[in-house]
Amino acid sequence: MTTSSTLWQPFTLGKVELPHRLALAPLTRSRANPDGTPGELAAEYYGQRASLGLIITEGTQPSEDGQGYLNTPGIYTPEHIEGWRKIADTVHAGGGALFIQLMHVGRMSHPDNTPHHRRPVGPSAISAEQDIFTPTGPQKTPVPRELGAHDIQATIAGFRQAAASAIAAGADGVEIHGANGYLLHQFLSPNSNHRTDEYGGSVENRSRFVVAVARAVAEEIGAERTGIRISPAFPLGGINEGDPADVRTQYRHLVGELATLNLAYLHVHHLGDDELLRSFRDTWPAAILVVRYGREREQIADDIDAGLADIAPLGRFALANPDIVQRLRTGAPLNELDPGTLYGGGAAGYTDYPALAHA
């Protein structure tokens, strides 16, 4: 058996009973159809990993303007709902619970990557200055269109409707993506948010949009079905949140505001400020999920043992090992990840990683 026994203790997350403290972390795979409907292999992919208990899906756009990359799934049309229903049914048949991650990329997009070919949107008209893959190769992200007051309300309503669509598709809940340089993170960061209205300037104002999205989703589907992901100080997508003191001030306020909503969980993509993480533990009333970059196999349970987390989502370990739970329980060797098949393509590097019986 791998790591400490705490990893194998059952856990109640909202209204979901989980068999242990592992989960599938959200992982972009870029294998949806061009219209955003999940691809035909997606149900098999997620079903193979159902033993992880809590299955958090790849980032899924809540609206047309939420798409940034090629062949990412959506959850805002009847076709999307039908595609996700097949996935939910397969995960449930395998004993897992499905949370669909709602990801609006904001300025991290390019017109060539979306069916509507519009400019991306953001809190301010400031380019991320990032290279993004498009059908004609890498291009720089353009200057986004600044969201107006009406646009902001429409975007919040889009998250609300997408959450309802996720539940209609049979999902057990949703995770709001407030991390990794995407739209909600862009509102939080002073270098991407230069607004002078109630959504910009102070720590309280920069948090306002994130809290409003979370409140709307929780009102629509229930707080017990709603999680949110944050990534304090992560410099992804051109984000720079300032010095550590500024980051702590921002996120202690944000997490304090979100804590009043009684959401099912807080998912922290953690860069290493354990003092800040401990403050979340002291403030947050429900479950905390923690993902750390570079975590080795024997370190998976460390944050749970230290009282900093309740659940340890797995990313690349789970991607390359559909039966990762069995492998960790028995100490079996792990498949190696093939980086060349992470994004796009078919079954190769997606549904063809061997399980133990066939390894």
Side-chain angles (χ1 to χ4, degrees), residues 194-230:
H194 289 187
R195 302 179 71 93
T196 57
D197 62 3
E198 66 268 33
Y199 295 99
S202 67
V203 163
E204 293 79 10
N205 284 358
R206 292 201 310 273
S207 300
R208 194 180 308 277
F209 177 70
V210 179
V211 176
V213 169
R215 181 179 292 112
V217 169
E219 287 174 353
E220 184 67 30
I221 65 171
E224 74 281 0
R225 289 175 162 176
T226 306
I228 189 164
R229 190 184 220 204
I230 59 174

mmCIF file of all heavy atoms in Angstrom, residues 194-230:
data_model
loop_
_atom_site.group_PDB
_atom_site.id
_atom_site.type_symbol
_atom_site.label_atom_id
_atom_site.label_comp_id
_atom_site.label_asym_id
_atom_site.label_seq_id
_atom_site.Cartn_x
_atom_site.Cartn_y
_atom_site.Cartn_z
ATOM 1 N N HIS A 194 -7.405 46.530 -14.918
ATOM 2 C CA HIS A 194 -7.177 47.964 -14.683
ATOM 3 C C HIS A 194 -8.494 48.725 -14.606
ATOM 4 O O HIS A 194 -8.524 49.942 -14.829
ATOM 5 C CB HIS A 194 -6.302 48.539 -15.805
ATOM 6 C CG HIS A 194 -4.879 48.105 -15.768
ATOM 7 N ND1 HIS A 194 -3.908 48.626 -16.600
ATOM 8 C CD2 HIS A 194 -4.236 47.176 -14.994
ATOM 9 C CE1 HIS A 194 -2.745 48.046 -16.349
ATOM 10 N NE2 HIS A 194 -2.923 47.158 -15.386
ATOM 11 N N ARG A 195 -9.564 48.053 -14.267
ATOM 12 C CA ARG A 195 -10.887 48.679 -14.236
ATOM 13 C C ARG A 195 -10.966 49.734 -13.137
ATOM 14 O O ARG A 195 -10.274 49.641 -12.113
ATOM 15 C CB ARG A 195 -11.976 47.629 -14.010
ATOM 16 C CG ARG A 195 -12.012 46.515 -15.053
ATOM 17 C CD ARG A 195 -13.091 45.505 -14.739
ATOM 18 N NE ARG A 195 -14.412 46.070 -14.970
ATOM 19 C CZ ARG A 195 -15.084 45.944 -16.119
ATOM 20 N NH1 ARG A 195 -14.557 45.267 -17.132
ATOM 21 N NH2 ARG A 195 -16.279 46.468 -16.257
ATOM 22 N N THR A 196 -11.845 50.704 -13.360
ATOM 23 C CA THR A 196 -12.062 51.756 -12.358
ATOM 24 C C THR A 196 -13.482 51.720 -11.804
ATOM 25 O O THR A 196 -13.879 52.627 -11.074
ATOM 26 C CB THR A 196 -11.788 53.138 -12.974
ATOM 27 O OG1 THR A 196 -12.629 53.325 -14.123
ATOM 28 C CG2 THR A 196 -10.325 53.274 -13.387
ATOM 29 N N ASP A 197 -14.244 50.660 -12.151
ATOM 30 C CA ASP A 197 -15.599 50.527 -11.607
ATOM 31 C C ASP A 197 -15.571 49.614 -10.394
ATOM 32 O O ASP A 197 -14.510 49.388 -9.781
ATOM 33 C CB ASP A 197 -16.564 50.031 -12.687
ATOM 34 C CG ASP A 197 -16.195 48.643 -13.220
ATOM 35 O OD1 ASP A 197 -15.228 48.037 -12.708
ATOM 36 O OD2 ASP A 197 -16.878 48.161 -14.157
ATOM 37 N N GLU A 198 -16.717 49.068 -10.036
ATOM 38 C CA GLU A 198 -16.807 48.256 -8.815
ATOM 39 C C GLU A 198 -16.128 46.897 -8.951
ATOM 40 O O GLU A 198 -16.053 46.145 -7.973
ATOM 41 C CB GLU A 198 -18.265 48.063 -8.411
ATOM 42 C CG GLU A 198 -19.107 47.244 -9.365
ATOM 43 C CD GLU A 198 -19.825 48.094 -10.407
ATOM 44 O OE1 GLU A 198 -19.267 49.135 -10.829
ATOM 45 O OE2 GLU A 198 -20.945 47.715 -10.803
ATOM 46 N N TYR A 199 -15.598 46.561 -10.138
ATOM 47 C CA TYR A 199 -14.903 45.293 -10.350
ATOM 48 C C TYR A 199 -13.386 45.457 -10.466
ATOM 49 O O TYR A 199 -12.695 44.509 -10.836
ATOM 50 C CB TYR A 199 -15.441 44.599 -11.602
ATOM 51 C CG TYR A 199 -16.889 44.192 -11.480
ATOM 52 C CD1 TYR A 199 -17.900 44.977 -12.040
ATOM 53 C CD2 TYR A 199 -17.254 43.049 -10.778
ATOM 54 C CE1 TYR A 199 -19.235 44.618 -11.921
ATOM 55 C CE2 TYR A 199 -18.583 42.678 -10.654
ATOM 56 C CZ TYR A 199 -19.575 43.468 -11.224
ATOM 57 O OH TYR A 199 -20.889 43.108 -11.101
ATOM 58 N N GLY A 200 -12.872 46.622 -10.156
ATOM 59 C CA GLY A 200 -11.434 46.832 -10.257
ATOM 60 C C GLY A 200 -10.913 47.768 -9.189
ATOM 61 O O GLY A 200 -11.674 48.457 -8.507
ATOM 62 N N GLY A 201 -9.573 47.766 -9.038
ATOM 63 C CA GLY A 201 -8.940 48.661 -8.070
ATOM 64 C C GLY A 201 -8.589 47.963 -6.783
ATOM 65 O O GLY A 201 -7.511 47.370 -6.650
ATOM 66 N N SER A 202 -9.478 47.963 -5.823
ATOM 67 C CA SER A 202 -9.194 47.402 -4.509
ATOM 68 C C SER A 202 -9.285 45.883 -4.514
ATOM 69 O O SER A 202 -9.831 45.272 -5.436
ATOM 70 C CB SER A 202 -10.193 47.951 -3.484
ATOM 71 O OG SER A 202 -11.500 47.469 -3.759
ATOM 72 N N VAL A 203 -8.739 45.276 -3.472
ATOM 73 C CA VAL A 203 -8.849 43.828 -3.284
ATOM 74 C C VAL A 203 -10.317 43.405 -3.272
ATOM 75 O O VAL A 203 -10.700 42.397 -3.888
ATOM 76 C CB VAL A 203 -8.145 43.424 -1.967
ATOM 77 C CG1 VAL A 203 -8.580 42.045 -1.517
ATOM 78 C CG2 VAL A 203 -6.635 43.491 -2.136
ATOM 79 N N GLU A 204 -11.142 44.177 -2.585
ATOM 80 C CA GLU A 204 -12.565 43.845 -2.501
ATOM 81 C C GLU A 204 -13.220 43.898 -3.876
ATOM 82 O O GLU A 204 -14.008 43.016 -4.228
ATOM 83 C CB GLU A 204 -13.270 44.823 -1.550
ATOM 84 C CG GLU A 204 -12.854 44.703 -0.099
ATOM 85 C CD GLU A 204 -11.518 45.368 0.211
ATOM 86 O OE1 GLU A 204 -10.977 46.109 -0.651
ATOM 87 O OE2 GLU A 204 -10.999 45.153 1.323
ATOM 88 N N ASN A 205 -12.887 44.933 -4.662
ATOM 89 C CA ASN A 205 -13.500 45.066 -5.985
ATOM 90 C C ASN A 205 -13.022 43.993 -6.951
ATOM 91 O O ASN A 205 -13.812 43.463 -7.741
ATOM 92 C CB ASN A 205 -13.205 46.450 -6.559
ATOM 93 C CG ASN A 205 -14.052 47.536 -5.928
ATOM 94 O OD1 ASN A 205 -14.892 47.267 -5.077
ATOM 95 N ND2 ASN A 205 -13.834 48.776 -6.334
ATOM 96 N N ARG A 206 -11.739 43.674 -6.908
ATOM 97 C CA ARG A 206 -11.222 42.650 -7.831
ATOM 98 C C ARG A 206 -11.784 41.265 -7.505
ATOM 99 O O ARG A 206 -11.827 40.386 -8.370
ATOM 100 C CB ARG A 206 -9.686 42.627 -7.806
ATOM 101 C CG ARG A 206 -9.044 43.878 -8.383
ATOM 102 C CD ARG A 206 -7.608 43.629 -8.811
ATOM 103 N NE ARG A 206 -6.799 42.992 -7.801
ATOM 104 C CZ ARG A 206 -6.129 43.625 -6.840
ATOM 105 N NH1 ARG A 206 -6.157 44.949 -6.774
ATOM 106 N NH2 ARG A 206 -5.410 42.960 -5.959
ATOM 107 N N SER A 207 -12.203 41.059 -6.274
ATOM 108 C CA SER A 207 -12.806 39.778 -5.879
ATOM 109 C C SER A 207 -14.279 39.688 -6.261
ATOM 110 O O SER A 207 -14.846 38.587 -6.292
ATOM 111 C CB SER A 207 -12.686 39.585 -4.365
ATOM 112 O OG SER A 207 -11.343 39.587 -3.941
ATOM 113 N N ARG A 208 -14.894 40.823 -6.556
ATOM 114 C CA ARG A 208 -16.356 40.889 -6.673
ATOM 115 C C ARG A 208 -16.926 39.982 -7.764
ATOM 116 O O ARG A 208 -17.930 39.297 -7.562
ATOM 117 C CB ARG A 208 -16.774 42.341 -6.928
ATOM 118 C CG ARG A 208 -18.273 42.591 -6.730
ATOM 119 C CD ARG A 208 -18.629 44.070 -6.996
ATOM 120 N NE ARG A 208 -17.800 44.980 -6.237
ATOM 121 C CZ ARG A 208 -18.014 45.331 -4.968
ATOM 122 N NH1 ARG A 208 -19.069 44.822 -4.338
ATOM 123 N NH2 ARG A 208 -17.213 46.178 -4.353
ATOM 124 N N PHE A 209 -16.269 39.963 -8.924
ATOM 125 C CA PHE A 209 -16.771 39.138 -10.020
ATOM 126 C C PHE A 209 -16.712 37.654 -9.669
ATOM 127 O O PHE A 209 -17.664 36.903 -9.927
ATOM 128 C CB PHE A 209 -15.965 39.416 -11.290
ATOM 129 C CG PHE A 209 -16.352 38.574 -12.472
ATOM 130 C CD1 PHE A 209 -17.562 38.766 -13.119
ATOM 131 C CD2 PHE A 209 -15.507 37.577 -12.941
ATOM 132 C CE1 PHE A 209 -17.929 37.991 -14.207
ATOM 133 C CE2 PHE A 209 -15.863 36.795 -14.036
ATOM 134 C CZ PHE A 209 -17.072 37.005 -14.658
ATOM 135 N N VAL A 210 -15.614 37.213 -9.081
ATOM 136 C CA VAL A 210 -15.460 35.801 -8.706
ATOM 137 C C VAL A 210 -16.553 35.394 -7.726
ATOM 138 O O VAL A 210 -17.193 34.341 -7.879
ATOM 139 C CB VAL A 210 -14.070 35.555 -8.103
ATOM 140 C CG1 VAL A 210 -13.914 34.093 -7.697
ATOM 141 C CG2 VAL A 210 -12.974 35.957 -9.082
ATOM 142 N N VAL A 211 -16.775 36.221 -6.729
ATOM 143 C CA VAL A 211 -17.787 35.909 -5.722
ATOM 144 C C VAL A 211 -19.181 35.897 -6.348
ATOM 145 O O VAL A 211 -20.016 35.034 -6.030
ATOM 146 C CB VAL A 211 -17.707 36.899 -4.551
ATOM 147 C CG1 VAL A 211 -18.824 36.645 -3.546
ATOM 148 C CG2 VAL A 211 -16.345 36.811 -3.859
ATOM 149 N N ALA A 212 -19.432 36.834 -7.275
ATOM 150 C CA ALA A 212 -20.739 36.899 -7.929
ATOM 151 C C ALA A 212 -21.006 35.648 -8.763
ATOM 152 O O ALA A 212 -22.131 35.124 -8.771
ATOM 153 C CB ALA A 212 -20.825 38.150 -8.799
ATOM 154 N N VAL A 213 -19.982 35.156 -9.473
ATOM 155 C CA VAL A 213 -20.140 33.923 -10.250
ATOM 156 C C VAL A 213 -20.444 32.754 -9.323
ATOM 157 O O VAL A 213 -21.361 31.958 -9.566
ATOM 158 C CB VAL A 213 -18.880 33.644 -11.097
ATOM 159 C CG1 VAL A 213 -18.926 32.238 -11.678
ATOM 160 C CG2 VAL A 213 -18.729 34.681 -12.201
ATOM 161 N N ALA A 214 -19.679 32.638 -8.250
ATOM 162 C CA ALA A 214 -19.884 31.527 -7.316
ATOM 163 C C ALA A 214 -21.264 31.592 -6.679
ATOM 164 O O ALA A 214 -21.940 30.554 -6.525
ATOM 165 C CB ALA A 214 -18.796 31.540 -6.249
ATOM 166 N N ARG A 215 -21.698 32.784 -6.326
ATOM 167 C CA ARG A 215 -23.017 32.928 -5.709
ATOM 168 C C ARG A 215 -24.115 32.528 -6.692
ATOM 169 O O ARG A 215 -25.068 31.815 -6.329
ATOM 170 C CB ARG A 215 -23.230 34.368 -5.234
ATOM 171 C CG ARG A 215 -24.589 34.587 -4.565
ATOM 172 C CD ARG A 215 -24.771 36.016 -4.080
ATOM 173 N NE ARG A 215 -23.870 36.296 -2.963
ATOM 174 C CZ ARG A 215 -22.842 37.138 -3.012
ATOM 175 N NH1 ARG A 215 -22.585 37.797 -4.143
ATOM 176 N NH2 ARG A 215 -22.080 37.346 -1.963
ATOM 177 N N ALA A 216 -23.989 32.961 -7.944
ATOM 178 C CA ALA A 216 -25.009 32.646 -8.940
ATOM 179 C C ALA A 216 -25.105 31.140 -9.176
ATOM 180 O O ALA A 216 -26.205 30.583 -9.262
ATOM 181 C CB ALA A 216 -24.700 33.371 -10.250
ATOM 182 N N VAL A 217 -23.957 30.487 -9.285
ATOM 183 C CA VAL A 217 -23.953 29.042 -9.514
ATOM 184 C C VAL A 217 -24.544 28.308 -8.310
ATOM 185 O O VAL A 217 -25.359 27.390 -8.460
ATOM 186 C CB VAL A 217 -22.526 28.555 -9.824
ATOM 187 C CG1 VAL A 217 -22.454 27.030 -9.800
ATOM 188 C CG2 VAL A 217 -22.064 29.091 -11.176
ATOM 189 N N ALA A 218 -24.145 28.721 -7.107
ATOM 190 C CA ALA A 218 -24.662 28.068 -5.897
ATOM 191 C C ALA A 218 -26.168 28.257 -5.761
ATOM 192 O O ALA A 218 -26.888 27.343 -5.335
ATOM 193 C CB ALA A 218 -23.947 28.613 -4.662
ATOM 194 N N GLU A 219 -26.655 29.449 -6.134
ATOM 195 C CA GLU A 219 -28.101 29.680 -6.101
ATOM 196 C C GLU A 219 -28.827 28.780 -7.098
ATOM 197 O O GLU A 219 -29.934 28.311 -6.834
ATOM 198 C CB GLU A 219 -28.405 31.145 -6.427
ATOM 199 C CG GLU A 219 -28.052 32.120 -5.325
ATOM 200 C CD GLU A 219 -28.224 33.572 -5.746
ATOM 201 O OE1 GLU A 219 -28.489 33.832 -6.941
ATOM 202 O OE2 GLU A 219 -28.075 34.455 -4.881
ATOM 203 N N GLU A 220 -28.188 28.538 -8.250
ATOM 204 C CA GLU A 220 -28.841 27.787 -9.315
ATOM 205 C C GLU A 220 -28.894 26.289 -9.023
ATOM 206 O O GLU A 220 -29.942 25.645 -9.245
ATOM 207 C CB GLU A 220 -28.113 28.029 -10.643
ATOM 208 C CG GLU A 220 -28.751 27.381 -11.841
ATOM 209 C CD GLU A 220 -30.107 27.970 -12.186
ATOM 210 O OE1 GLU A 220 -30.334 29.178 -11.930
ATOM 211 O OE2 GLU A 220 -30.950 27.226 -12.717
ATOM 212 N N ILE A 221 -27.803 25.707 -8.553
ATOM 213 C CA ILE A 221 -27.749 24.234 -8.424
ATOM 214 C C ILE A 221 -27.529 23.760 -6.996
ATOM 215 O O ILE A 221 -27.560 22.556 -6.744
ATOM 216 C CB ILE A 221 -26.645 23.645 -9.332
ATOM 217 C CG1 ILE A 221 -25.245 24.097 -8.876
ATOM 218 C CG2 ILE A 221 -26.898 23.995 -10.795
ATOM 219 C CD1 ILE A 221 -24.108 23.382 -9.590
ATOM 220 N N GLY A 222 -27.311 24.703 -6.069
ATOM 221 C CA GLY A 222 -27.046 24.330 -4.692
ATOM 222 C C GLY A 222 -25.579 24.440 -4.348
ATOM 223 O O GLY A 222 -24.714 23.994 -5.124
ATOM 224 N N ALA A 223 -25.278 25.046 -3.203
ATOM 225 C CA ALA A 223 -23.881 25.206 -2.781
ATOM 226 C C ALA A 223 -23.190 23.862 -2.608
ATOM 227 O O ALA A 223 -21.987 23.733 -2.860
ATOM 228 C CB ALA A 223 -23.823 26.002 -1.477
ATOM 229 N N GLU A 224 -23.946 22.836 -2.216
ATOM 230 C CA GLU A 224 -23.358 21.513 -1.982
ATOM 231 C C GLU A 224 -22.918 20.843 -3.284
ATOM 232 O O GLU A 224 -22.207 19.841 -3.243
ATOM 233 C CB GLU A 224 -24.357 20.625 -1.244
ATOM 234 C CG GLU A 224 -25.519 20.109 -2.067
ATOM 235 C CD GLU A 224 -26.640 21.134 -2.269
ATOM 236 O OE1 GLU A 224 -26.516 22.274 -1.763
ATOM 237 O OE2 GLU A 224 -27.635 20.793 -2.947
ATOM 238 N N ARG A 225 -23.324 21.411 -4.414
ATOM 239 C CA ARG A 225 -22.907 20.891 -5.718
ATOM 240 C C ARG A 225 -21.871 21.792 -6.400
ATOM 241 O O ARG A 225 -21.567 21.592 -7.573
ATOM 242 C CB ARG A 225 -24.130 20.770 -6.635
ATOM 243 C CG ARG A 225 -25.097 19.668 -6.253
ATOM 244 C CD ARG A 225 -26.320 19.718 -7.158
ATOM 245 N NE ARG A 225 -27.068 18.461 -7.116
ATOM 246 C CZ ARG A 225 -28.214 18.254 -7.740
ATOM 247 N NH1 ARG A 225 -28.757 19.222 -8.463
ATOM 248 N NH2 ARG A 225 -28.823 17.082 -7.663
ATOM 249 N N THR A 226 -21.364 22.768 -5.681
ATOM 250 C CA THR A 226 -20.505 23.791 -6.279
ATOM 251 C C THR A 226 -19.139 23.811 -5.623
ATOM 252 O O THR A 226 -19.021 23.984 -4.403
ATOM 253 C CB THR A 226 -21.149 25.183 -6.140
ATOM 254 O OG1 THR A 226 -22.466 25.158 -6.692
ATOM 255 C CG2 THR A 226 -20.310 26.242 -6.845
ATOM 256 N N GLY A 227 -18.084 23.635 -6.421
ATOM 257 C CA GLY A 227 -16.711 23.824 -5.962
ATOM 258 C C GLY A 227 -16.075 24.960 -6.733
ATOM 259 O O GLY A 227 -16.612 25.437 -7.739
ATOM 260 N N ILE A 228 -14.921 25.418 -6.278
ATOM 261 C CA ILE A 228 -14.206 26.481 -6.989
ATOM 262 C C ILE A 228 -12.713 26.238 -6.881
ATOM 263 O O ILE A 228 -12.217 25.764 -5.853
ATOM 264 C CB ILE A 228 -14.571 27.877 -6.455
ATOM 265 C CG1 ILE A 228 -13.983 28.976 -7.367
ATOM 266 C CG2 ILE A 228 -14.162 28.052 -4.998
ATOM 267 C CD1 ILE A 228 -14.589 30.339 -7.146
ATOM 268 N N ARG A 229 -12.002 26.541 -7.961
ATOM 269 C CA ARG A 229 -10.547 26.356 -8.002
ATOM 270 C C ARG A 229 -9.850 27.713 -8.047
ATOM 271 O O ARG A 229 -10.263 28.604 -8.791
ATOM 272 C CB ARG A 229 -10.150 25.540 -9.238
ATOM 273 C CG ARG A 229 -8.687 25.109 -9.209
ATOM 274 C CD ARG A 229 -8.286 24.396 -10.485
ATOM 275 N NE ARG A 229 -7.409 23.260 -10.197
ATOM 276 C CZ ARG A 229 -6.549 22.750 -11.064
ATOM 277 N NH1 ARG A 229 -6.418 23.256 -12.274
ATOM 278 N NH2 ARG A 229 -5.801 21.722 -10.741
ATOM 279 N N ILE A 230 -8.776 27.853 -7.267
ATOM 280 C CA ILE A 230 -7.952 29.052 -7.270
ATOM 281 C C ILE A 230 -6.487 28.638 -7.381
ATOM 282 O O ILE A 230 -6.128 27.499 -7.095
ATOM 283 C CB ILE A 230 -8.167 29.912 -6.004
ATOM 284 C CG1 ILE A 230 -7.838 29.114 -4.738
ATOM 285 C CG2 ILE A 230 -9.601 30.451 -5.946
ATOM 286 C CD1 ILE A 230 -7.876 29.943 -3.444
#
